[in-house]
Amino acid sequence: MITDFVQNCIDGIMVGSGYSLLALGFTLVFGVLKRLNLSYGPSIMLGAYVGTWSFLNIADNIWLVLLTTICATVVIGIYVEQLCFRAVSKETTIASMVSSFAIWMQLEEIALHLLPERTYPFPAFFDSGLLEFGPFTARSEYLFMFVVMLLLLLILHAFIYRTRIGLAIRAYSDHPSASAYMGIDGSSVLFLAFIIVSIIGGIAGFLILSADSQITPFFGLWATFKGLIAMMLGGIGSLSGAVLGGLILGVIEANAFWYGDPVIRDISSFMLLFTMLIIRPGGIFGHKIEIHQKIASERV
Amino acid sequence: MLYLEDIRTFYGEIEALKGLTLEARKGEVTCVLGPNGAGKTTTMFTIAGILKPRTGTLFLEDENLTHVSAQSRVRKGIALVPENRLIFPQMTIAENLDTGALSRPLKDAGIQEDILKMYERFPRLHERKEQMAGTLSGGEQQMLAIARALMAKPKILLMDEPSLGLAPLIVKEIFNIIRQLNEEGVTILLVEQNAKMALTVADHVYLIEQGKVTFNGNPSEIHQDEVIRRAYLGSEVS
Amino acid sequence: MLNDYLLTVISNIGMISMIAISAYLILITGEISFGQQAYFGISAYAGSIATTLWGWPFWMALIFGSFLAGVAGGLISALTVRINGIYYSIATLAFAEMVRLSLLKFSYQFEIDGEWIGPNGSEGFGEIRWIFENDISILEYTLLIYLVLFLLIAFIYLIEHSKLGMIFRMLGQDPLLASVQGVKIIRYKVLAASLAGFAAGLGGMLYAHSFTYIEPQIFNVMLGVHSLAYGLIGGLGTVLGPIIGVVLDIGFLESIRGIQGYRMIVFGGLMAVMLIFMPRGILDEKRVHRFKKFWEGKTHV
Ligand SMILES: Nc1ncnc2c1ncn2[C@@H]1O[C@H](COP(=O)(O)OP(=O)(O)OP(=O)(O)O)[C@@H](O)[C@H]1O
Ligand SMILES: [Mg+2]
């Protein structure tokens, strides 16, 4: 009984580390832009499609797939940044969001042109080994994803809070016009943020898909959903919040799936999200709720 | 030091500055007075490079900066204390000061030293250095905004209405700081509504109305001009 | 001349316009809802249950389904009054997904003429046969849809040109100012959301009876985001905006069937470029205002 529960939690944390990776990207880009990039998931999906394409057509080399996935995601990220965020007036936040949705549709169709079938194999990073810890087990590729996620969190944290570029990014996200008076070039900050976020997305997509060992066009929607939910659960604008949000989402899902079924799993995560947004909009660890509330609640 | 000639700045088709000529001399406090909507903030933005003038030239110490970007102007030594302060509310005071030094080269070892100097000058900021800047009082925020601008080690400090919305006692403190800075050799271009206080620190005064300079002289001349005195200092005989 | 295919496209435009209007109503009060598809779905299910299983008359079922959707809209709005911006958007998304997923578990069947009829989880809800049982042609049903749409537009038009419409827009532009000026924000937000739920409900119920089959998957987030996008393409200045958006999308996509396989690439790109130049849509507030002035000037002369 209790072993089941603990095992579920372990599984949840493993799968949840993928959500955490996605949430990191979301929270960073939302923190800087204050605008929602709906096409984040689909960009990763198309990036991974390019990776799969290179796997099928160029060489069966895992590093090549990783590299092409990340590079393609970055290129797509720049495309989205230029078209949906740089070119669209900052005053109308919703225009950017709808524009990123339009590009989502575009990216999905491009993916279907690249590889027209419904599913494709995605190369595994590891020979899936089952690690045993007493009565509990964990799959090695998920454990690896978990470790990479923690590492990325540390690197990102150091970058944002310890470097001058990070300081400029935070200043811009805190008060864009004031940062201009400090000599910070907003458009470079935006560009840089998109590159970083796309790299994280590429890594996330690669790890998640190679653990799943297959890719479908639905991955885009899935990634946007999971990333958004995890970000909201942890609280917008906080890196560690995004990670915790992802892990919690994973744990809830794993248990709901074990004691229920896939539908119950999905309902329970949305129910948790909805209840939390009503009771504690700042996230489960909702520190500084009022401030977060203020940033994120800018109007249409 | 800073020289603007025949500057015309537009917001779309609205001409906010209609051929403005102005000079701020080294080591002096140059004060710009004018009614609401005269174009004072527009002048400051044009100098800082946030707005681009359609015609005219801008020189800083014999260097033509007319076509230089806002970012480079900060590096060249123009720092702005913006109207309404605009500190970074969700960053600590220490981090706010760090952002002021972003325009300085990374290798500049003096940054930490300068932060300590700012804390010496503004002890209240020191006490609260790990506090979020958004939680500071208006007066403290103004001090932070000044300190942040000074962190760029500017050749000229632009201050847009530093007394805006502050209690008289704090206003006095702010002006004491301005006076002190000036005595230490900082060149200041000051925009003010509070003409009485401004004139106590000013070495040279410009009046602008509807985007044009209508008067230019030293403070004592203002006191002599009946019409201007009435308009800006009130009618009581001083 | 008017073949069945064309009629289906036209009636589709009419029904989808209703959910687009619903999203638009929320948009003008300053919020972005990702969840209007929930009300579309609630009414589709409720209305179809009423006609098919309970034998209610069509109009009563239409009002019943839409009313239920309106109540749900108001309820959710009352629960979410304290949050806005992205928090509100995600909360509406979460609610809509909860509705869709619950429908996957929802089963309510009667045996009618030896057949089990009614919603049955993921298998959906078929045999919504009101149109056939009453011998309604596609043309007649299309006219019926447009009658409802016309009434809805007229109703919203009246609201927009009343004090209520002004209050809605005021909520959108500056809720703080609105509350200072004595507007009871909560009451009006709930009212707007109920109206929006009702509008989506009309579309949903009509949709179910037009296609005779519905399943939870129809009411997914794509429907919601599309209806949001329609208002933004067509323009946020008038209730005609969302309808223009629907006509452009469905009409355009249908007319370029020749480039099958590239339509989203073309259309998505066009939409993104359009939003650069018209970030509040074709008929935005400014253009509507200018148009009105022009019109007034003309009629005065
Ligand atoms: N973003 C803008 N778009 C259009 N017009 C503007 C804009 N900002 C300022 N203006 C106009 O330019 C003129 C000068 O404005 P400015 O802000 O420079 O005045 P100011 O002298 O600083 O006034 P105050 O004392 O109230 O701060 C005003 O007529 C104002 O309406
Ligand atoms: Mg001003």
Side-chain angles (χ1 to χ4, degrees):
Chain A
M1 219 30 226
I2 188 82
T3 27
D4 284 346
F5 179 73
V6 174
Q7 181 62 49
N8 290 340
C9 292
I10 295 173
D11 291 347
I13 288 173
M14 297 291 108
V15 175
S17 53
Y19 303 162
S20 301
L21 280 170
L22 295 167
L24 277 177
F26 259 111
T27 211
L28 202 63
V29 87
F30 189 81
V32 174
L33 287 168
K34 307 293 179 306
R35 289 180 277 175
L36 202 51
N37 177 13
L38 288 176
S39 69
Y40 185 50
S43 314
I44 300 172
M45 181 270 298
L46 185 55
Y49 258 71
V50 175
T52 311
W53 185 88
S54 73
F55 167 69
L56 295 172
N57 292 293
I58 300 177
D60 178 1
N61 181 329
I62 194 76
W63 297 104
L64 175 78
V65 178
L66 175 63
L67 195 72
T68 44
T69 301
I70 293 178
C71 290
T73 310
V74 169
V75 171
I76 300 158
I78 292 172
Y79 171 63
V80 169
E81 190 257 345
Q82 297 281 331
L83 194 60
C84 310
F85 292 90
R86 185 177 302 247
V88 171
S89 146
K90 278 191 201 66
E91 278 87 59
T92 48
T93 45
I94 182 185
S96 287
M97 195 191 73
V98 169
S99 170
S100 73
F101 177 67
I103 296 308
W104 171 341
M105 300 289 108
Q106 221 183 19
L107 298 180
E108 271 190 0
E109 201 160 59
I110 294 172
L112 286 178
H113 278 284
L114 194 64
L115 298 170
E117 253 138 72
R118 280 276 122 184
T119 38
Y120 283 91
F122 200 87
F125 201 56
F126 275 105
D127 284 333
S128 168
L130 207 57
L131 303 180
E132 285 178 35
F133 311 93
F136 306 117
T137 57
R139 271 169 62 193
S140 55
E141 62 269 43
Y142 278 107
L143 210 58
F144 179 71
M145 180 155 78
F146 181 70
V147 173
V148 171
M149 185 273 292
L150 287 184
L151 266 175
L152 262 178
L153 171 67
L154 289 178
I155 294 170
L156 213 56
H157 199 276
F159 176 72
I160 296 286
Y161 288 94
R162 298 265 177 278
T163 67
R164 276 160 68 102
I165 301 175
L167 184 70
I169 291 178
R170 280 190 301 141
Y172 177 82
S173 93
D174 199 1
H175 202 313
S177 49
S179 75
Y181 309 148
M182 299 294 101
I184 295 167
D185 177 14
S187 46
S188 318
V189 168
L190 225 98
F191 189 74
L192 190 72
F194 258 86
I195 299 223
I196 297 169
V197 159
S198 302
I199 293 174
I200 299 172
I203 296 174
F206 174 82
L207 290 173
I208 295 170
L209 290 165
S210 71
D212 263 4
S213 66
Q214 61 166 356
I215 182 168
T216 76
F218 298 117
F219 181 71
L221 174 74
W222 182 89
T224 288
F225 257 47
K226 298 298 177 192
L228 260 182
I229 299 176
M231 169 179 85
M232 300 306 289
L233 281 179
I236 292 173
S238 134
L239 297 177
S240 43
V243 166
L244 284 170
L247 299 182
I248 287 172
L249 179 63
V251 168
I252 302 259
E253 283 193 356
N255 278 297
F257 182 66
W258 178 261
Y259 297 108
D261 56 42
V263 176
I264 291 189
R265 172 191 66 195
D266 292 348
I267 290 188
S268 55
S269 65
F270 283 112
M271 214 131 82
L272 174 75
L273 179 64
F274 186 74
T275 325
M276 193 211 66
L277 283 172
I278 291 174
I279 299 169
R280 282 180 83 98
I284 293 174
F285 306 95
H287 47 103
K288 295 180 273 170
I289 291 180
E290 319 87 83
I291 293 178
H292 282 311
Q293 177 82 344
K294 231 171 56 199
I295 334 169
S297 57
E298 275 170 29
R299 309 240 117 208
V300 176
Chain B
M1 177 95 185
L2 180 77
Y3 191 72
L4 277 72
E5 181 158 354
D6 199 24
I7 293 280
R8 293 169 64 208
T9 303
F10 287 73
Y11 291 103
E13 283 313 302
I14 303 166
E15 189 172 7
L17 297 184
K18 301 166 182 159
L20 187 104
T21 301
L22 181 150
E23 186 186 5
R25 280 195 288 264
K26 196 170 177 116
E28 287 190 356
V29 176
T30 307
C31 184
V32 176
L33 300 176
N36 289 113
K40 305 181 297 290
T41 300
T42 310
T43 307
M44 291 303 219
F45 279 178
T46 309
I47 299 172
I50 313 281
L51 292 173
K52 298 273 172 277
R54 206 170 279 181
T55 64
T57 49
L58 185 149
F59 277 86
L60 180 72
E61 290 187 325
D62 304 327
E63 191 178 354
N64 188 341
L65 295 187
T66 316
H67 301 291
V68 166
S69 72
Q71 290 90 259
S72 323
R73 286 191 202 187
V74 178
R75 248 169 270 139
K76 303 252 181 215
I78 299 178
L80 172 66
V81 181
E83 194 175 11
N84 295 318
R85 311 182 260 281
L86 308 187
I87 42 94
F88 298 111
Q90 291 169 73
M91 292 166 73
T92 65
I93 285 144
E95 288 170 340
N96 265 274
L97 293 178
D98 282 337
T99 61
L102 276 173
S103 58
R104 289 163 67 172
L106 185 59
K107 293 182 284 292
D108 194 335
I111 293 179
Q112 277 314 312
E113 210 173 288
D114 286 347
I115 288 185
L116 293 179
K117 269 190 212 153
M118 289 306 149
Y119 286 148
E120 243 166 71
R121 188 191 296 279
F122 304 101
R124 270 202 264 178
L125 297 183
H126 191 206
E127 289 160 29
R128 295 169 173 73
K129 65 179 178 187
E130 294 305 322
Q131 195 175 319
M132 292 287 159
T135 62
L136 292 177
S137 75
E140 289 159 353
Q141 288 189 7
Q142 188 62 59
M143 290 174 195
L144 178 59
I146 296 172
R148 185 182 61 177
L150 287 172
M151 282 304 295
K153 283 206 155 173
K155 290 179 183 153
I156 181 164
L157 187 66
L158 313 177
M159 302 176 91
D160 197 346
E161 301 203 32
S163 72
L164 192 71
L166 300 181
L169 216 61
I170 311 284
V171 172
K172 250 191 199 143
E173 219 176 312
I174 298 283
F175 275 96
N176 278 335
I177 292 164
I178 294 174
R179 200 169 293 125
Q180 219 175 356
L181 285 171
N182 181 233
E183 276 161 16
E184 289 164 27
V186 182
T187 308
I188 294 171
L189 180 63
L190 174 69
V191 159
E192 259 304 333
Q193 292 281 355
N194 188 337
K196 226 184 257 174
M197 286 304 279
L199 290 181
T200 62
V201 295
D203 297 303
H204 198 91
V205 181
Y206 285 86
L207 280 186
I208 53 179
E209 272 165 68
Q210 296 186 11
K212 272 193 199 131
V213 173
T214 53
F215 171 89
N216 151 22
N218 55 42
S220 56
E221 288 173 59
I222 285 230
H223 285 286
Q224 284 155 17
D225 189 311
E226 181 69 18
V227 182
I228 296 172
R229 204 183 69 209
R230 282 250 176 105
Y232 289 93
L233 300 173
S235 54
E236 83 263 36
V237 190
S238 51
Chain C
M1 188 191 68
L2 271 180
N3 60 23
D4 284 1
Y5 167 72
L6 197 59
L7 277 175
T8 317
V9 172
I10 291 174
S11 66
N12 236 338
I13 289 177
M15 295 181 293
I16 298 298
S17 287
M18 296 178 204
I19 184 175
I21 288 175
S22 161
Y24 161 84
L25 277 173
I26 305 281
L27 273 178
I28 60 170
T29 64
E31 299 294 355
I32 300 168
S33 165
F34 284 143
Q36 296 312 107
Q37 68 276 22
Y39 311 115
F40 194 81
I42 287 173
S43 171
Y45 269 80
S48 309
I49 287 174
T51 55
T52 317
L53 303 183
W54 301 342
W56 285 20
F58 184 82
W59 292 105
M60 245 170 87
L62 177 66
I63 298 297
F64 167 69
S66 311
F67 183 75
L68 214 62
V71 170
L75 218 66
I76 291 305
S77 159
L79 279 174
T80 53
V81 273
R82 286 192 316 129
I83 53 180
N84 41 36
I86 189 181
Y87 297 99
Y88 177 86
S89 308
I90 302 296
T92 52
L93 171 72
F95 170 72
E97 282 296 283
M98 273 154 62
V99 169
R100 180 180 70 84
L101 292 161
S102 307
L103 287 175
L104 284 173
K105 290 266 166 200
F106 176 60
S107 189
Y108 178 73
Q109 293 198 304
F110 286 8
E111 196 173 348
I112 296 174
D113 301 332
E115 249 189 289
W116 284 94
I117 292 182
N120 185 20
S122 59
E123 279 168 32
F125 182 179
E127 303 287 313
I128 305 167
R129 301 173 51 88
W130 182 82
I131 294 190
F132 302 116
E133 280 161 7
N134 292 278
D135 263 335
I136 308 240
S137 72
I138 298 188
L139 179 64
E140 282 168 322
Y141 196 67
T142 306
L143 290 176
L144 186 147
I145 289 169
Y146 275 83
L147 173 67
V148 174
L149 181 62
F150 175 77
L151 290 175
L152 178 64
I153 293 173
F155 181 59
I156 306 255
Y157 185 85
L158 283 180
I159 287 182
E160 289 215 303
H161 290 259
S162 70
K163 198 171 147 239
L164 192 59
M166 218 175 67
I167 292 174
F168 284 169
R169 283 195 186 267
M170 202 150 88
L171 286 178
Q173 263 138 39
D174 199 336
L176 210 66
L177 184 72
S179 73
V180 169
Q181 296 193 339
V183 174
K184 297 205 171 43
I185 289 194
I186 298 183
R187 191 183 298 172
Y188 286 102
K189 280 203 144 171
V190 172
L191 183 61
S194 311
L195 277 176
F198 186 83
L202 290 174
M205 193 281 187
L206 291 170
Y207 185 92
H209 286 79
S210 163
F211 285 86
T212 72
Y213 170 77
I214 47 176
E215 57 177 347
Q217 193 48 36
I218 297 171
F219 315 110
N220 67 9
V221 64
M222 283 298 162
L223 177 61
V225 184
H226 269 109
S227 47
L228 200 62
Y230 293 143
L232 205 67
I233 298 171
L236 298 181
T238 152
V239 63
L240 296 178
I243 297 168
I244 292 175
V246 178
V247 172
L248 278 180
D249 180 32
I250 299 182
F252 182 86
L253 288 186
E254 290 303 332
S255 64
I256 57 165
R257 283 154 74 85
I259 54 168
Q260 196 82 38
Y262 292 90
R263 28 196 254 186
M264 283 330 293
I265 296 178
V266 174
F267 188 66
L270 281 178
M271 209 164 124
V273 170
M274 198 211 81
L275 285 169
I276 294 173
F277 300 105
M278 299 187 253
R280 283 182 83 82
I282 296 170
L283 287 181
D284 64 4
E285 290 87 340
K286 258 191 237 145
R287 267 180 281 265
V288 168
H289 187 71
R290 219 179 298 151
F291 188 73
K292 256 186 211 147
K293 273 204 158 155
F294 175 74
W295 186 252
E296 274 160 18
K298 240 182 159 176
T299 46
H300 278 298
V301 169

